[in-house]
Every structure is written in structure tokens, then in C-alpha cells.
């Protein structure tokens, strides 16, 4: 059994991109691996958050984990700040991270672009993410493609620590879906589908009501022509919609192509909307049940308790190796 860790930020609404790129794999991996899934509130505050919003979104994302199919009796679900060892290891690893490495991170470049002032937290964000992963000696990290560069930095930091202080950290590997590791915007297939987009029509939120989903899909941009064909280089818009279709209907690209041969985009989009609704409707029903039952707090408490046992042990070992004295 391997160790799996991943996290999702409680900022804005979760999208179908988060679901296909990451959460579907969380659900899959919980059956065979020891899993840790977090709501990363410490990461969320690297950009300004309204306290009331942060509170609401943290609970919402935790409930969405369960609604998406994570079974808290199999996987540990918790909030990052409930295990303070993450922040502590984050600091220790920050001191091993070079400015140049952080300056090269594309997520930092994207998020800081055009801003007058950029918080230092946004800059050191990847060192905290490395701590999240290394603290459990995780070997698999289910993420979408946009997190791959952060994973590479995590591996570099693990190697650097091991070289200076003796072999300790496991080298983690990203675990990504073959298709759908980067779900694109519905209005522009050159941009990633993102919960922070100002245009709500560009993403499908997991909590969008069925009619909103139908409307957004019917308005999604399509390429010229009318052939439903998976060809990301020449037909990026329809290929993106096909990736969503493939995950929601559990069909291969060949099967989708065969189904819509000679029919054009209209029937394809109509069916796509129904497949997405068929995934989201039961998820939303479970979400509402979980939110109203209040059981999420218990789940998070137990998850954090179990996670803290391992996380505290790692931090103690790392501090010892780095030369910190323990209180006596
Ligand atoms: P976040 O919160 O931006 O996104 C959560 C997960 O969803 C994936 N994702 C996508 N996948 C496919 N297509 C998309 N359009 C799409 N948008 C988002 C992301 O790749 C991610 O897997 N830094 C992380 C959170 C984090 C983390 C960690 C992840 C903190 N610590 C430790 C893994 C391990 C983030 O901002 O993800």
C-alpha cells in the first residue's frame, strides 16, 4: 500500500476541472492506498480572503470531497491548518528553497502578473505544498497538470534534504488522468477552466444547478466544421468537450466519435449536458445532506487527528536531523 496526499484550495467554487483532474482520482485511489485529502486553507490565504467566505468555503470543499465519493472510513479528510505541523515543515523547507526556483513557477507568474503588490506567501506557496506532500512521505500525488511543476520542485527539495541531512524523504510522483489532466475553459480552449475566472460561463461549478449546466454547455465555444473528432491540436474546443464527455459518461474517444458520426455538434452537446447533469445531480444531493447534517466537523476532526500522528513524527525527525534541540 502506498501513501497518497492531495489538496484543494477553498477559494471560489470547485469546478468540473477540479473533479476530473483530481477528485475522481482521489475516489479511485482510496480503495488501494492510504490516503490523505486536505482542504488547503493555509494556501488559500496567499491571496486575500474574506474571513466569512473562507469559513464557508472550507466547509463546502470538505463536504464536496465526501459528496464526490470519498469515504471517510477509508481516507483521511482534514483541513490543513488543523495539522499545524504542515506550516512548520513549510517553513523548514522554505529555508532550503532558492529564490530562483520560486521565480520560475508558472503559477506564481500567472497569479502575480499585473499586480501592484504581491504577497510573500504567494511566492513561498510551493515550499508549503512540498511540505504537505513530504510530511506523509507520500509516493503518489493525484493532481491536474497545472501542479506538475510544483511536484518537480517538491522532488528537488526532497533530494536536497536527503543529500544534506541523510536519506529520509520518499520521492513523490504525480498521478494524473491520461485525458482531462487539463480541462479548458468553455469559452476559450487556450485557457484552463478555473474557479477564479470572472466569466462564470467559462466554467461548470460542481454546485451549478442542472439548467445552468445545460445553458453553459449549449453556449460553449466550438471549432469550425461539424465533425465530433478528438484532435486537440486542430479542434481544441470540441476535444475539450469530448474530454469532459469521456469522464462523465465513461466512454473512450473512439466510442464518442462513433456515436456522433455525421450528426454535428448539436446532438453531441445536448447529450454532453445530460451526462454532466447525471454526475452532478447525485453529488449535489449528497452535498446538501452532508451540509445539513453537520457531520463534516466530526469527519474533519478524526481526519486531522490521524494525520497529525504521522505529520508530527516527520517534523520531529526533520528537526532532529537539521540540528534543532528538543525540549528536555
Ligand atoms: P487547486 O485548488 O487550484 O486545484 C485542485 C486540483 O484540481 C486540479 N485542477 C484541474 N485539473 C484539470 N483541469 C483543470 N482545469 C483544473 N483546475 C484545477 C489541480 O491541478 C489540483 O490538483 N496547489 C494546489 C493545492 C495543494 C496541493 C497540495 C495539491 C496544496 N498542497 C499538495 C497536491 C498536493 C492547488 O492550488 O490546487
Amino acid at each position: 500500500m502506498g501513501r497518497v496526499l492531495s489538496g484543494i484550495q477553498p477559494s471560489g467554487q470547485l469546478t468540473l476541472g477540479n473533479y476530473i483532474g483530481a477528485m475522481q482520482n482521489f475516489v479511485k485511489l482510496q480503495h488501494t492506498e492510504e490516503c490523505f485529502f486536505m482542504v488547503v486553507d493555509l494556501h488559500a490565504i496567499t491571496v486575500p480572503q474574506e474571513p466569512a467566505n473562507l469559513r464557508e468555503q472550507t466547509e463546502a470543499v470538505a463536504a464536496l470531497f465526501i459528496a464526490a465519493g470519498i469515504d471517510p472510513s477509508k481516507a483521511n479528510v482534514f483541513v490543513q491548518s488543523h495539522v499545524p505541523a504542515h506550516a512548520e515543515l513549510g517553513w523548514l523547507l522554505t529555508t532550503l528553497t532558492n529564490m530562483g526556483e520560486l521565480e520560475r513557477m508558472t503559477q506564481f507568474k500567472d497569479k502575480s502578473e499585473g499586480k501592484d503588490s504581491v504577497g510573500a506567501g504567494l511566492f513561498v506557496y510551493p515550499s508549503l505544498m512540498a511540505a504537505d506532500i513530504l510530511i506523509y512521505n507520500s509516493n503518489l500525488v493525484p493532481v491536474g497538470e497545472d501542479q506538475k511543476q510544483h511536484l518537480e520542485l517538491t522532488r528537488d527539495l526532497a533530494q536536497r534534504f536527503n543529500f544534506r541531512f541523510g536519506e529520509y524523504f520518499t520521492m513523490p510522483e504525480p498521478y494524473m488522468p491520461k485525458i482531462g489532466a487539463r480541462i479548458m475553459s468553455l469559452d476559450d480552449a487556450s485557457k484552463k477552466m478555473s474557479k477564479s475566472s470572472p466569466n462564470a460561463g467559462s466554467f461548470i461549478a460542481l454546485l451549478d444547478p442542472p439548467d445552468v449546466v445545460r445553458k453553459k454547455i449549449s453556449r460553449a465555444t466550438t471549432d469550425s466544421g461539424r465533425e465530433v473528432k478528438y484532435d486537440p491540436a486542430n479542434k481544441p474546443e470540441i476535444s475539450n468537450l469530448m474530454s469532459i464527455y469521456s469522464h462523465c459518461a465513461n466512454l473512450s474517444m473512439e466510442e464518442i466519435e462513433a456515436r456522433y458520426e455525421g450528426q454535428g455538434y448539436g446532438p453531441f452537446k445536448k447529450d454532453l449536458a445530460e451526462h454532466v447533469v447525471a454526475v452532478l445531480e447525485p453529488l449535489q444531493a449528497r452535498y446538501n445532506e452532508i451540509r445539513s447534517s453537520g457531520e463534516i466537523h466530526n469527519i474533519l476532526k478524526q481526519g486531522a487527528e490521524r494525520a497529525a500522528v504521522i505529520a508530527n513524527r516527520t517534523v520531529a525527525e526533520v528537526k532532529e536531523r537539521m540540528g534543532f534541540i528538543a525540549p528536555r
Side-chain angles (χ1 to χ4, degrees), residues 145-202:
E145 219 216 21
D146 60 341
Q147 298 301 317
K148 221 174 135 195
Q149 197 187 23
H150 290 158
L151 249 295
E152 278 155 21
L153 177 67
T154 303
R155 292 168 59 89
D156 289 345
L157 290 175
Q159 229 153 15
R160 195 166 302 156
F161 180 93
N162 289 353
F163 181 74
R164 281 189 57 186
F165 305 108
E167 277 302 312
Y168 181 62
F169 286 129
T170 307
M171 287 300 145
E173 300 278 349
Y175 186 90
M176 292 188 287
K178 280 198 191 74
I179 286 173
R182 192 175 179 82
I183 297 292
M184 309 312 274
S185 276
L186 298 182
D187 62 344
D188 178 357
S190 70
K191 291 201 197 110
K192 186 185 75 165
M193 181 182 281
S194 167
K195 54 197 172 196
S196 52
S197 167
N199 173 14
S202 73

Side-chain angles (χ1 to χ4, degrees), residues 208-225:
D208 275 345
D211 280 346
V212 172
V213 172
R214 292 188 183 102
K215 198 178 288 167
K216 285 181 178 179
I217 290 179
S218 79
R219 289 185 185 160
T221 313
T222 43
D223 310 279
S224 57

